[in-house]
Amino acid sequence: VVAVTVAGPTATIASASTYQFTSVVTGSQNTAVTWSVDAAGSANVGAISAGGLYTAPAAAGTFTVRATSAADATKSGTATVTVSAPLIVVSIVPNGATVASGGTVQLSAAVTGSSNGAVTWDVPSGATAGSIVSTGLANALYTAPGTAGSYQVRATSVADNAKTAMATITVQQGSGFRVNGPSRVAPTISTLFTATFNDVAVIAVWSFDGPANGCTVSSTGVFTAGATPTTVTLRATDAAQRTATMLVSVATQVTLALQRPDNATLSTADMLTFYWSISPTGVSTAVNWSVNPSNGGTTVPVDYFRGFVPSATAGLVTLTATSVADPAVSASFTATVTAAAGPAFAATTGNPLSSRYEHVAATLPDGRVVLVGGQRSRAVYLPLLTTDVFTPTSGTFSSGPALTVVRMQSEAIAVDASRVLVTGGVEEYDQAYNTGEIVDVNSGSATRVTNAMTARRLFHQMVAVTTGPNTGKIAIMGGFNGPIPYGVPSWQSTASVDLFDPVTNRFAAYSASMKVARGLFSATTLQNGRILIVGGYDAAVFNRLASAEIFDPVSGTFTFTGSMATARSGHTATRLADGTVLVVGGSNDGLDGTTAELYNPTSGLFERVNGTMSVSRTHHAAALMSDGRVAVIGGESGENWVRGSVEAYDPAARTFSALGHMAIARRRPTASLLTSGPNAGRILVFGGGAEDKVIGAAEIIR
């Protein structure tokens, strides 16, 4: 006998849900069944699949699920399923909102558990809590009251009015009725003014009080200033008869612009420099500076720039310049300050007698370092006639002989045990000198060289000749005849060479010249006495140079050697222990000045080193350390950065790494290897500070 049993749910199932029924057939090897649902007073009984998966209807009810044997259609089994009523839920979006007094908020309700999604809206607290108007089946527009506070709105399901949802609206006091626009308009300029109520634009009627002097205002709020300076009261009246006014001055419009660096990230050892411009012509260019946070650093005058010196705390700092002519006009930018890498360097035992910039240094055979000329700082033009002498055995500074003329951007070199030859240079922006003088530290005197060089020179090079018929003399090469190598076509580079004879105290024109006219180049004596001349700038054609040449004092000739991969000026060149020459950084026509190249005297070729510096550097200093590494010190990056960091080049790894940082950022410092005293083998870094500082202006790199 065939029998069928059905396993069904033991509890009520939700409307529109599913349930898997199972069947058991006995008395036949054919266990297949056909599933069906019997109505119990409702046509909507749900549906069941051939596999017994039941889908409940949307309405509540009790239904019979039947499984009929495929082997014997007269045999079937049943199970009862009870479907519960659907659960209706109402929600409001947004559930919370903030609006100005008198403002509006668009609300929307969602109803689940019913095919009827309609709702009704109300404000339970009454009219003082605002009003709400239905804008669709489940949408509404709430209008806030004039009083600030927290208010609730309610949505009620039409399908089941027992089901509701509440949303909280926070009402803030609005800005009211206002006129928006600039308080200053330049003569003859048209400017659009707007009227708003609680920050929402409204239509208004426009007029103004006061002497017109050619001023007009259109129906849409376009105010056109007259040609004569004046002050008027601009008035707007809206449809609700609210009135707002603004005092507008017709006067020259001040515009302030800051030069912003592309990448405003600096370390706590660096200085960020920038300049500003104010227009129109005739308006005061003075500005007041502020730093936020106030302990984030200070601003200092630096030449025609302004400098920002960060504090020792890393983080974001915002600098703001405000026009003195019009305090309503300002410009700002935000810099990211990071902690400087490596340890700080030690200050010298004694304090320098003066800070110096665009000075030179020469080391005497006994280790004393003579610091010559330059100017007091970049903050103000204060050229120096003085020289200072650093004595490494005591670590102190003393006054040296005064120069016969002010010299900036000159060159200096020791010629014997106590005398230093100083050549060329310039006084402010005058023409370069073609003169020289001997500074005698022991006698305390400075005397002019008895004749002149063949050319005016600054940013030139001097090298002691150590081989050939002119051994003992000083070769003076290249340079410019103006203060800077750009901007004025009459300033020229020179390829000429003079020889100075320390015995006769005279200059003499050399029979040969460099292959290329250059300034801001490097000249390095090789192990065989020849002199490597690298890069520089040709002011006549406004080109930085990649070429290099060799001066052979024995044959008296200049010949080209291999060229660098990158044109450079304002770089450094340092001879390493193995005889190769490391050329680092420099300005190179917009390319990144972080790279370095090695010159091999045997092959006569340059090769790019593997590593690069962490920052671009020009007008920096470099010196060979006692362990064979090269310290690369300070300098500048583009127009905006003065660096206080120091990196070390490792000849073995051919890479750079952080060595430490100085107390102040420096551009065009001097770096002198100390050869005597307790700091022998260490490097004295002096001057070049971008700001006016004396204390801490000299440091020892350990």
Side-chain angles (χ1 to χ4, degrees), residues 424-425 433 453-458 460 476-478 480 494 496 498:
Y433 295 124
M453 296 181 290
T454 58
R456 298 178 183 273
R457 304 180 192 274
L458 77 160
H460 53 293
I476 306 137
M477 301 177 287
F480 306 111
T494 181
S496 66
D498 286 297

Side-chain angles (χ1 to χ4, degrees), residues 453-478:
M453 296 181 290
T454 58
R456 298 178 183 273
R457 304 180 192 274
L458 77 160
F459 291 128
H460 53 293
Q461 288 290 329
M462 293 199 298
V463 182
V465 179
T466 59
T467 185
N470 292 303
T471 297
K473 296 180 180 180
I474 306 297
I476 306 137
M477 301 177 287

Side-chain angles (χ1 to χ4, degrees), residues 262-575:
D262 293 334
N263 176 20
T265 300
L266 70 161
S267 78
T268 52
D270 298 329
M271 173 186 284
L272 169 63
T273 65
F274 43 88
Y275 64 82
W276 67 97
S277 61
I278 290 181
S279 60
T281 303
V283 175
S284 171
T285 59
V287 295
N288 292 319
W289 294 93
S290 61
V291 178
N292 184 29
S294 57
N295 64 348
T298 57
T299 65
V300 294
V302 182
D303 204 20
Y304 53 89
F305 292 90
R306 191 76 181 182
F308 168 65
V309 181
S311 65
T313 303
L316 295 178
V317 181
T318 299
L319 294 91
T320 301
T322 302
S323 169
V324 171
D326 185 354
V329 176
S330 63
S332 63
F333 66 90
T334 300
T336 302
V337 179
T338 62
F345 298 127
T348 52
T349 303
N351 292 325
L353 304 181
S354 176
S355 63
R356 295 180 188 269
Y357 175 73
E358 295 183 327
H359 63 292
V360 286
T363 302
L364 295 171
D366 63 2
R368 289 178 294 174
V369 180
V370 184
L371 306 163
V372 179
Q375 59 174 312
R376 181 77 167 77
S377 74
R378 288 179 60 95
V380 61
Y381 175 64
L382 291 172
L384 298 170
L385 280 170
T386 62
T387 64
D388 293 337
V389 180
F390 176 73
T391 303
T393 53
S394 63
T396 59
F397 294 84
S398 59
S399 295
L403 298 172
T404 61
V405 293
V406 170
R407 297 181 188 269
M408 298 182 297
Q409 302 164 353
S410 60
E411 288 296 326
I413 190 171
V415 295
D416 57 29
S418 65
R419 295 190 303 159
V420 172
L421 171 65
V422 185
T423 60
V426 70
E427 179 180 1
E428 197 178 16
Y429 293 105
D430 294 335
Q431 200 171 28
Y433 295 124
N434 59 1
T435 62
E437 53 191 291
I438 290 290
V439 174
D440 191 325
V441 175
N442 287 355
S443 68
S445 63
T447 56
R448 291 283 290 270
V449 177
T450 54
N451 66 334
M453 296 181 290
T454 58
R456 298 178 183 273
R457 304 180 192 274
L458 77 160
F459 291 128
H460 53 293
Q461 288 290 329
M462 293 199 298
V463 182
V465 179
T466 59
T467 185
N470 292 303
T471 297
K473 296 180 180 180
I474 306 297
I476 306 137
M477 301 177 287
F480 306 111
N481 69 354
I484 48 179
Y486 52 87
V488 179
S490 63
W491 294 340
Q492 299 292 318
S493 307
T494 181
S496 66
V497 178
D498 286 297
L499 287 180
F500 173 76
D501 189 336
V503 177
T504 63
N505 194 34
R506 290 182 61 83
F507 296 112
Y510 193 61
S511 56
S513 297
M514 293 191 296
K515 305 295 288 184
V516 177
R518 306 171 189 265
L520 282 170
F521 61 101
S522 62
T524 309
T525 302
L526 302 176
Q527 288 177 331
N528 59 8
R530 295 182 178 184
I531 298 166
L532 172 67
I533 298 164
V534 174
Y537 191 92
D538 186 348
V541 293
F542 302 99
N543 273 345
R544 290 180 176 84
L545 303 170
S547 64
E549 50 189 291
I550 295 290
F551 171 42
D552 186 346
V554 176
S555 64
T557 59
F558 290 83
T559 56
F560 280 120
T561 187
S563 293
M564 295 183 292
T566 301
R568 304 173 190 268
S569 65
H571 55 279
T572 55
T574 308
R575 194 182 80 192

